[in-house]
């Protein structure tokens, strides 16, 4: 009788092969890391002998689950920032922290922690996309877990590359070193169309083709990203990506939430696999991927957890269940995406989506021995029905939890037996993760203390200081300025007309500065909008000396184009208060006596000038009038509805002074 290494026997075996064959009680024979035979328990017992025979009575034996999309090292960022919009979460928190902390040892530890969690919940293969992917590969290989490791390439500096050329170089080296490894399949991962360029995507596609490795990319995760893409390139995302040659490679596209019918067909035509991430899409409110339609068309759709910072765990049972439930809910059709299909998405369909179904995804002779044993005798899964196999799939998808996985095997090696991890030191990993979380906490606490460092953390500004002198005068009418501009000794260099919409973010802390978000509509003489410019300005260290009817200012400012929406900045900075100021500005750059000046003639549209303010500003106040002035300021604050009078008083008064003087002159803004 031929001898094999291991026989797993006595459980209900769901092979997930093309015919969805099941054996109950069934058995699987394993030799040299591969499956030799699958059949009924009796049949296998009659054919093979083994030194290691594992009794699986009362259990299900199924292929190891395949997580089609994750960012494994992000276990270390789990719970860092939640309940935020994707852009605020990613650009405001995750990326700055990554820039500060992500190093090879961080990725190694995060991946080991992820592997412990994955093994425990029955995942034996994951498709990863992160930085220092070599450390991810190393940590997964050491844990004995199979991984497709996609090295991220971005158009901007990342934790492991200053430029995209460097990123591509890293990816190439990594692929060369790891190609052919028994557990690790290296890959290239251009992050997403909105974080890459046409050139970069072309280079990544060529790299993938050159080494015949997979290409992993995020596609159409949010409606905003898709809208922006259409505005920028004048076409949907998939045809554009196709134009860059990306679809020629073995592609797995994560998310695919906002695709139209033609895009789905293009993916199908090119054999692109889709990684559906229901938890992440729900948590970040990205929308509902048209999974039922994709399956109808014949696309290979796997399920993924996405990164554990946006999920927040790596439990594939939950993902498979959500995939089924969401599809039903969205289509108002309870027969949509049945349990068997959901389990397939977590196994064989996932393998197809990752282009590795030749080796894994089902229990079939010749495939790698990646399998798990799931306890079916738990209180939340009892009883069980045997009338047809669908009852088994329903039990697995709708009732089984990650913690029900009893044993896990990858490539014929046991990674967990009787819920005990065999390749990882769980307590040490947990202690180390806690230590890193404390460091990240300290970093964020320090950053939150200063608006400037928070601003710098999102990479908005170079610390460019502008010093300026401003003189502001209140005018009853504009004719005096117009007369002045008509004089021969004044040369008008560049007149312009604009509408300015300013939002001041105020902070409830005397040390904090204020941030101005300005949208400038540049108008032509017909008052048609020619251009819209957005700028973000940190106004701080105001050193101000006030004279009778004018103000001399010397201030340092941090100023940059506002690349994100006003909404982003509001949610990111969380100001204590906001003030909106709208005005129409006629701006003249003039040369007088060899010096450049700017004369701004402003007409205030919002807020309306309160009479009490005009009174404050139109008088020269003597020391004896201090009481009256304080009284007027008090009235002004009431009018402006200042909530925190004491702490914000100074801010408002200063702002009011700036705002309510409708004419500024002098270089600068
Ligand atoms: Zn992702």
């Amino acid at each position: 009788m031929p001898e094999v290494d291991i026989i797993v026997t006595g459980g209900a075996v769901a092979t997930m092969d093309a015919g969805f064959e099941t054996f109950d009680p069934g058995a699987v024979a394993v030799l040299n890391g591969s499956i030799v035979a699958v059949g009924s328990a009796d049949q296998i017992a009659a054919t093979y002998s083994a030194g290691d025979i594992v009794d699986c009575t009362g259990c299900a034996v199924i292929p190891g689950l395949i997580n089609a999309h994750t960012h494994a090292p992000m276990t270390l960022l789990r719970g860092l920032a939640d309940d935020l919009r994707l852009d605020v979460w990613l650009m405001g928190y995750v990326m700055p922290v990554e820039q500060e902390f992500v190093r090879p040892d961080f990725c190694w530890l995060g991946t080991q922690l992820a592997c412990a969690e994955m093994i425990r919940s029955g995942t034996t293969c994951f498709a990863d996309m992160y930085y220092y992917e070599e450390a991810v590969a190393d940590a997964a290989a050491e844990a004995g877990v199979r991984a497709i490791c996609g090295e991220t390439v971005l158009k901007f500096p990342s934790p492991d590359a200053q430029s995209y050329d460097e990123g591509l170089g890293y990816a190439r080296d990594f692929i060369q070193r790891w190609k052919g490894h028994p557990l690790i399949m290296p890959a290239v991962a251009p992050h997403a169309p909105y974080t890459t360029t046409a050139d970069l995507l072309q280079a990544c596609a060529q790299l993938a083709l050159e080494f015949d490795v997979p290409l992993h990319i995020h596609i159409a995760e949010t409606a905003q990203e898709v809208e922006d893409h259409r505005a920028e390139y004048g076409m949907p995302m998939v045809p554009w990506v196709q134009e860059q040659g990306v679809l020629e490679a073995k592609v797995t596209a994560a998310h695919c939430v906002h695709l139209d019918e033609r895009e789905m067909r293009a993916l199908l035509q090119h054999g692109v696999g889709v990684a559906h991430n229901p938890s992440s899409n729900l948590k970040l409110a990205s929308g509902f991927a048209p999974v039922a339609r994709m399956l109808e068309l014949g696309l290979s759709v796997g399920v993924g957890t996405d990164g554990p910072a946006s999920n927040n765990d790596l439990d594939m049972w939950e993902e498979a269940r959500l995939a089924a439930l969401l599809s039903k809910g969205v289509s108002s059709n309870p027969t949509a995406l049945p349990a068997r299909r959901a389990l397939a998405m977590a196994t064989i369909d996932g393998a197809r989506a990752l282009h590795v179904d030749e080796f894994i995804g089902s229990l079939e002779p010749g495939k790698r021995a990646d399998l798990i044993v799931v306890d079916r005798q738990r209180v939340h899964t009892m009883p069980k029905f045997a009338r047809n196999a669908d009852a088994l799939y329903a039990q697995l998808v709708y009732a089984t939890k990650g913690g029900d996985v009893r044993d896990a095997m990858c490539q014929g090696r046991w990674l967990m037996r009787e819920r005990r991890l065999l390749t990882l030191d769980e307590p040490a990993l947990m202690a180390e993760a806690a230590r890193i979380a404390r460091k990240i906490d300290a970093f964020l606490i320090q950053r939150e203390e200063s608006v400037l460092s928070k601003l710098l953390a999102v990479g908005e500004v170079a610390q460019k200081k502008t010093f300026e002198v401003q003189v502001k005068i209140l005018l009853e009418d504009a004719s005096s300025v117009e007369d002045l501009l008509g004089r021969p000794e004044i040369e008008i260099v560049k007149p312009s007309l604009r509408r300015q919409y300013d939002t001041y973010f105020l902070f409830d802390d005397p040390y904090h500065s204020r941030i101005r978000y300005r949208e400038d509509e540049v108008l032509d003489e017909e008052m048609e909008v020619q251009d819209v410019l957005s700028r973000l300005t940190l106004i701080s260290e105001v050193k101000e000396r006030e004279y009778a009817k004018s103000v001399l200012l010397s201030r340092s400012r941090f100023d940059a184009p506002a690349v994100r929406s006003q909404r982003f900045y509001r949610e990111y900075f969380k100001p204590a208060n906001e003030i909106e100021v709208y005005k129409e500005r006629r701006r003249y750059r003039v040369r007088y006596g060899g010096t450049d000046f700017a004369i701004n003639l402003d007409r205030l549209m919002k807020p309306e000038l309160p009479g009490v303010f005009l009174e404050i500003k139109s008088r020269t106040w003597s020391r004896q009038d201090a009481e009256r002035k304080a009284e007027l300021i008090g009235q002004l604050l009431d009018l402006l509805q200042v909530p925190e009078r004491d702490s914000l008083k100074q801010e408002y008064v200063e702002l009011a002074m700036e705002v309510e003087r409708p004419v500024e002159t002098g270089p600068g803004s």
Side-chain angles (χ1 to χ4, degrees), residues 85-319:
R85 263 178 248 270
L86 178 64
D87 57 352
V88 178
W89 176 78
L90 188 65
M91 310 291 184
Y93 290 88
V94 171
M95 284 187 165
V97 168
E98 285 179 336
Q99 204 61 32
E100 184 72 17
F101 286 93
V102 171
R103 302 289 177 269
D105 54 347
F106 178 101
C107 293
W108 192 90
L109 175 68
T111 303
Q112 286 250 304
L113 188 67
C115 284
E117 184 186 355
M118 287 193 274
I119 295 167
R120 283 210 167 281
S121 52
T123 296
T124 56
C125 175
F126 66 99
D128 198 63
M129 177 198 283
Y130 208 59
Y131 314 107
Y132 297 110
E133 209 51 48
E134 182 137 28
V136 174
D138 194 54
E142 201 174 308
V145 173
R146 193 181 301 286
I148 294 150
C149 296
E151 168 64 20
T152 301
V153 190
L154 289 170
K155 71 180 171 189
F156 34 75
S158 71
D160 62 2
Q162 280 307 303
S163 65
Y164 86 65
D165 280 332
E166 216 180 289
L168 278 168
Y170 183 107
R172 171 177 287 272
D173 280 0
F174 166 60
I175 291 167
Q176 279 173 330
R177 270 198 293 276
W178 285 79
K179 194 161 162 49
H181 189 280
L183 285 179
I184 304 300
M185 185 179 278
V188 61
H191 179 266
Y194 70 97
T195 48
T196 56
T197 63
D199 285 357
L200 193 161
L201 286 176
Q202 288 162 19
C204 287
Q206 278 159 19
L207 187 66
L209 290 171
E210 183 185 337
F211 291 96
D212 188 31
V213 293
L215 184 149
H216 211 104
I217 187 168
H218 292 113
I219 294 278
E221 180 174 0
T222 65
Q224 185 67 50
E225 160 200 340
V226 165
E227 218 173 273
D228 292 349
H229 186 93
R230 275 178 195 259
E232 189 168 351
Y233 298 104
M235 63 166 87
M237 207 171 261
V238 171
W240 184 79
V241 164
Q242 185 179 348
E243 236 169 53
Q244 315 316 323
V246 169
L247 305 191
E248 303 310 312
K250 293 190 290 191
V251 176
T252 303
H255 298 299
C256 296
V257 177
H258 301 276
L259 295 185
D260 63 31
E261 179 82 11
R262 283 166 79 171
E263 289 182 286
M264 286 187 258
R265 287 183 187 277
L267 294 184
L268 176 68
Q269 199 187 347
H270 287 85
V272 171
V274 173
H276 174 42
N277 301 270
S279 285
S280 168
N281 294 162
L282 282 170
K283 186 160 183 265
L284 294 164
S286 305
F288 307 101
V291 173
R293 183 61 189 146
M294 290 184 203
L295 293 174
E296 223 169 69
L297 287 170
L299 271 161
S300 301
V301 185
V303 271
T305 56
D306 208 355
S310 58
N311 185 301
N312 289 1
D313 61 30
L314 297 168
D315 184 348
M316 282 291 293
W317 299 95
E318 192 178 25
E319 296 307 320

Side-chain angles (χ1 to χ4, degrees), residues 436-507:
I436 294 202
R438 284 196 297 275
K439 284 169 77 173
I440 294 174
D441 259 343
F443 165 76
L444 284 176
I445 289 165
Q446 193 191 18
R447 195 187 71 163
E448 309 279 294
E449 278 170 3
S450 147
V451 175
L452 174 60
S453 55
K454 218 176 159 186
L455 190 61
L456 293 173
V458 284
E460 294 304 331
V461 280
Q463 288 204 26
K464 194 185 94 190
K465 295 194 181 190
T466 317
F467 294 92
E468 54 185 42
V469 177
Q470 296 187 351
V471 178
K472 301 183 180 192
I473 302 165
L474 180 68
L475 292 176
E476 298 300 328
D477 72 289
S479 61
S480 57
V481 174
E482 279 151 11
D483 290 348
L484 183 78
L485 291 168
R487 290 206 195 166
E489 62 268 34
I490 294 184
E491 181 195 350
I492 300 176
V493 185
K494 203 177 158 199
S496 69
L497 180 62
R498 41 187 74 193
R499 258 185 235 121
Q500 291 182 327
Y501 301 91
D502 294 343
T503 305
Y504 288 86
F505 293 148
L506 308 176
F507 300 94

Side-chain angles (χ1 to χ4, degrees), residues 370-556:
D370 293 8
L371 60 82
I372 57 174
V373 179
V374 185
D375 190 348
R376 299 176 72 197
Q377 319 253 48
R378 311 277 289 188
V379 72
H380 56 270
T381 58
M382 290 301 279
K384 57 185 187 220
F385 295 94
R387 192 178 82 260
N388 68 39
D390 285 345
L392 172 62
Y393 300 120
Q395 185 192 44
L396 289 170
V397 170
Y398 299 130
T400 297
K401 317 271 178 233
D404 300 342
V405 177
R406 190 189 79 179
D407 313 299
M409 174 193 286
C410 185
Q411 191 121 318
R413 177 189 185 194
W414 287 116
L415 307 182
M416 179 170 72
R417 284 300 316 276
E418 301 292 342
R419 300 196 177 89
R420 202 166 59 80
L421 295 184
L422 303 176
T423 55
L424 293 162
D425 182 351
E426 229 173 357
L429 292 171
M430 282 158 70
E432 197 49 23
R435 193 182 64 82
I436 294 202
R438 284 196 297 275
K439 284 169 77 173
I440 294 174
D441 259 343
F443 165 76
L444 284 176
I445 289 165
Q446 193 191 18
R447 195 187 71 163
E448 309 279 294
E449 278 170 3
S450 147
V451 175
L452 174 60
S453 55
K454 218 176 159 186
L455 190 61
L456 293 173
V458 284
E460 294 304 331
V461 280
Q463 288 204 26
K464 194 185 94 190
K465 295 194 181 190
T466 317
F467 294 92
E468 54 185 42
V469 177
Q470 296 187 351
V471 178
K472 301 183 180 192
I473 302 165
L474 180 68
L475 292 176
E476 298 300 328
D477 72 289
S479 61
S480 57
V481 174
E482 279 151 11
D483 290 348
L484 183 78
L485 291 168
R487 290 206 195 166
E489 62 268 34
I490 294 184
E491 181 195 350
I492 300 176
V493 185
K494 203 177 158 199
S496 69
L497 180 62
R498 41 187 74 193
R499 258 185 235 121
Q500 291 182 327
Y501 301 91
D502 294 343
T503 305
Y504 288 86
F505 293 148
L506 308 176
F507 300 94
D508 194 6
D509 176 334
Y511 297 106
H512 282 173
S513 327
R514 56 180 179 262
I515 288 175
R516 182 183 69 201
Y517 177 87
R518 168 172 288 178
E519 225 169 78
D520 243 333
E521 285 181 358
V522 182
L523 306 171
D524 62 14
E525 283 307 317
E526 274 75 53
M527 305 297 279
E528 294 289 325
V529 177
Q530 295 300 300
D531 201 3
V532 180
L533 310 166
S534 302
R535 290 196 78 76
L536 196 67
T537 306
L538 178 74
I539 304 167
S540 57
E541 299 170 44
V542 182
K543 295 189 181 81
E544 193 170 308
R545 285 173 66 198
E546 195 182 345
Y547 296 96
K549 288 194 177 182
S550 61
V551 182
L552 180 68
L553 295 163
S554 164
R555 50 172 62 165
S556 57

